[in-house]
Amino acid sequence: MDKLLITGGNRLSGEISVSGAKNAALPILCASLLTADTIALRNVPHLNDIGTTLRLLGQMGVSSEHHADNAMELCAAHVEKLEAPYELVKTMRASILVLGPLLARFGEARVSLPGGCAIGQRPVDQHIKGLEAMGADIRIEHGYVVAKATRLQGASIRTDMVTVTGTENLMMAATLAKGRTTLENAAREPEIVDLAELLNKMGARIKGHGTDQIIIDGVDSLHGAEHSVVPDRIEAGTFLCAVGAAGGEIMLRNAAPLTMGATLDKLIEAGMTIEHGDDWIRGMMNKRPRATGFRTSEYPGFPTDMQAQLMALNTIADGTAIIVENIFENRYMHVQELSRMGAQIDIDGHTAVVLGVGQLSGTTVMATDLRASASLVIAGLAACGDTIIERIYHLDRGYERMEEKLRSVGANIQRLKREAA
Ligand code: EPU
């Protein structure tokens, strides 16, 4: 397994181009199942999770063609297998996103239940409840969700909690249902807006995306479309936290600052200077960060996907930060690893109390999930000495060429390939 070797202490300086958002691209790839026509996409990041999704779609019969500059085309004209097998779903929970489109277009789907994961239980009961409300017959058989429907019917659905992929699955399913579907308590994340925009280009009739009530008037069929994936707000936020911790000045190009309000506010509170235009962000830090507490919540609140990275920044801040993780019950796996680098963090249930220390010291740590890995990279950049991060396959799932991008702004970071590691 590859490892990362980071020698901390370098200030960061230069420009980074932000990639397309993983969490927008994943549902968008699955939306290709809704039509027999070609979907042409731009700004699709090269990530392992994207590769897994393309493998999953490929097994079903969806053809995909890559072009230069992160562009690609998908065509689901010849779908033969309406199944997402355990082997793929267990490596990537977002595979559940094929359930709604398959059921809506083909009236049938067999999708493995994902099981638990490193950050919490993450059930998919709300996806199932919503599809049942739309008339689907759903059984759990041998660990699989087995769903059937002659044609889905529009329904009024209120999810028990705000769920991102749940909203996406139900929104996709509703595009081809008969009649009107109303999703109450819908997620408002920018990735949902991006998906809805693609679906509308395909002929869907969706309104209210970006609010907590999405209304979808079903149509008989959808057609091909072109779309560029929204910039990754979490990748951009991760690089800004890196500058906040290591010091320096970076310019992020192809960014979407208007989707990053809560993150940018917290970084300013931590002492960073942030400037931005419509599609760029400049982040500067020339002093020790100030402790900055926060609570994660659904968009537009502070994203759980930035919790670990802002915690890393807080480990070396002046003061004590109280952090509350409200979305996932087990998303503090990075705490023990940060502690091995000298961080002082106490956990009590969903609350973490981070007492900033003058400096972290490099050591060998282990990545446990995607955003935990990112927090260890940030800690490593700010620490004195060498940090070796093991199991970085987690990082490769969701960050495109992270070490290359960081090296281009002066970080001393290298990948130790399995042979050399
Ligand atoms: N939940 C249920 N039942 C459901 C669905 C969700 O109990 O049927 C619970 C979850 O267990 C969790 C909460 O509701 O406690 C919210 O989960 P949500 O469904 O919103 O999460 P998700 O859709 O599985 C997406 C992102 C995650 C991100 C969360 C929250 C994708 C592919 N994944 O997951 O991204 O953390 O929303 O914003 O969009 C990441 O990129 O590192 C990542 C984990």
Side-chain angles (χ1 to χ4, degrees):
M1 269 182 269
D2 292 359
K3 301 176 185 182
L4 279 182
L5 168 62
I6 303 173
T7 305
N10 285 10
R11 289 167 65 78
L12 305 182
S13 162
E15 265 189 39
I16 292 179
S17 178
V18 177
S19 297
K22 166 181 85 79
N23 289 348
L26 295 177
I28 280 175
L29 295 180
C30 296
S32 69
L33 284 167
L34 288 163
T35 175
D37 293 349
T38 299
I39 301 295
L41 300 172
R42 278 166 288 127
N43 210 27
V44 180
H46 284 295
L47 301 170
N48 284 355
D49 274 9
I50 297 292
T52 305
T53 307
L54 292 176
R55 234 178 9 264
L56 172 65
L57 295 173
Q59 282 188 6
M60 294 175 183
V62 179
S63 64
S64 56
E65 212 177 298
H66 287 275
H67 302 296
D69 293 336
N70 295 65
M72 66 174 308
E73 286 183 350
L74 291 142
C75 181
H78 305 290
V79 174
E80 286 135 23
K81 212 166 150 217
L82 306 172
E83 179 176 304
Y86 179 62
E87 289 63 43
L88 288 176
V89 180
K90 77 174 179 203
T91 65
M92 194 193 61
R93 303 179 51 82
S95 315
I96 191 74
L97 286 166
V98 300
L99 179 62
L102 284 179
L103 194 56
R105 177 155 162 235
F106 303 100
E108 225 182 291
R110 193 167 174 271
V111 178
S112 172
L113 279 168
C117 83
I119 62 178
Q121 279 189 20
R122 302 180 77 185
V124 291
D125 56 308
Q126 301 300 309
H127 304 231
I128 293 174
K129 173 180 127 169
L131 292 171
E132 279 178 340
M134 294 169 81
D137 171 34
I138 301 190
R139 287 152 215 253
I140 307 297
E141 287 174 5
H142 308 291
Y144 277 72
V145 181
V146 181
K148 291 201 168 68
T150 35
R151 181 168 182 193
L152 292 173
Q153 304 291 317
S156 184
I157 302 165
R158 166 177 284 277
T159 46
D160 296 350
M161 75 290 293
V162 177
T163 154
V164 175
T165 49
T167 303
E168 290 164 347
N169 232 340
L170 299 175
M171 186 167 75
M172 287 192 279
T175 57
L176 292 179
K178 191 170 167 47
R180 173 169 283 197
T181 299
T182 307
L183 300 178
E184 306 275 1
N185 204 21
R188 292 179 280 171
E189 269 64 5
E191 293 74 23
I192 290 184
V193 175
D194 204 36
L195 172 65
E197 282 172 3
L198 165 72
L199 293 169
N200 280 345
K201 288 180 195 166
M202 292 166 68
R205 292 175 57 202
I206 303 173
K207 49 188 191 198
H209 40 292
T211 75
D212 62 359
Q213 189 195 56
I214 303 179
I215 297 172
I216 307 116
D217 286 310
V219 295
D220 290 337
S221 66
L222 295 175
H223 52 72
E226 282 184 27
H227 188 72
S228 181
V229 176
V230 72
D232 197 318
R233 62 195 167 104
I234 306 300
E235 187 203 19
T238 302
F239 288 132
L240 290 173
C241 281
V243 180
E249 175 174 340
I250 60 166
M251 168 67 118
L252 299 177
R253 299 277 181 201
N254 305 321
L258 299 182
T259 65
M260 295 176 60
T263 299
L264 298 183
D265 284 354
K266 283 293 156 189
L267 291 173
I268 291 167
E269 213 177 298
M272 282 187 80
T273 304
I274 302 276
E275 294 167 0
H276 70 81
D278 285 347
D279 63 354
W280 59 268
I281 308 172
R282 192 196 309 276
M284 288 159 276
M285 188 64 151
N286 292 315
K287 52 181 185 251
R288 185 178 178 194
R290 272 193 301 271
T292 309
F294 59 95
R295 298 169 163 261
T296 64
S297 69
E298 298 86 5
Y299 189 85
F302 189 86
T304 174
D305 290 346
M306 281 300 304
Q307 179 254 107
Q309 300 91 312
L310 192 56
M311 180 187 285
L313 180 67
N314 270 303
T315 60
I316 52 163
D318 185 11
T320 301
I322 313 277
I323 297 174
V324 182
E325 170 57 55
N326 286 314
I327 307 293
F328 292 111
E329 68 271 18
N330 192 27
R331 210 172 195 180
Y332 283 139
M333 302 281 280
H334 42 285
V335 166
Q336 287 196 345
E337 302 302 307
L338 290 171
S339 302
R340 298 196 58 251
M341 298 177 71
Q344 295 209 2
I345 308 170
D346 277 328
I347 302 284
D348 184 6
H350 285 214
T351 304
V353 180
V354 186
L355 171 63
V357 296
Q359 177 132 57
L360 297 176
S361 61
T363 182
T364 300
V365 289
M366 198 166 72
T368 49
D369 72 67
L370 173 56
R371 308 305 171 186
S373 317
S375 77
L376 297 175
V377 171
I378 293 166
L381 292 171
C384 64
D386 288 350
T387 298
I388 292 178
I389 307 180
E390 297 189 337
R391 300 199 182 172
I392 54 156
Y393 55 85
H394 290 291
L395 210 56
D396 295 333
R397 291 185 54 181
Y399 287 93
E400 189 176 40
R401 298 181 287 106
M402 187 191 225
E403 75 271 17
E404 215 179 284
K405 290 188 182 187
L406 283 171
R407 227 178 5 250
S408 77
V409 292
N412 189 340
I413 176 169
Q414 51 180 303
R415 181 176 290 250
L416 306 176
K417 289 297 216 184
R418 190 209 305 242
E419 308 76 63

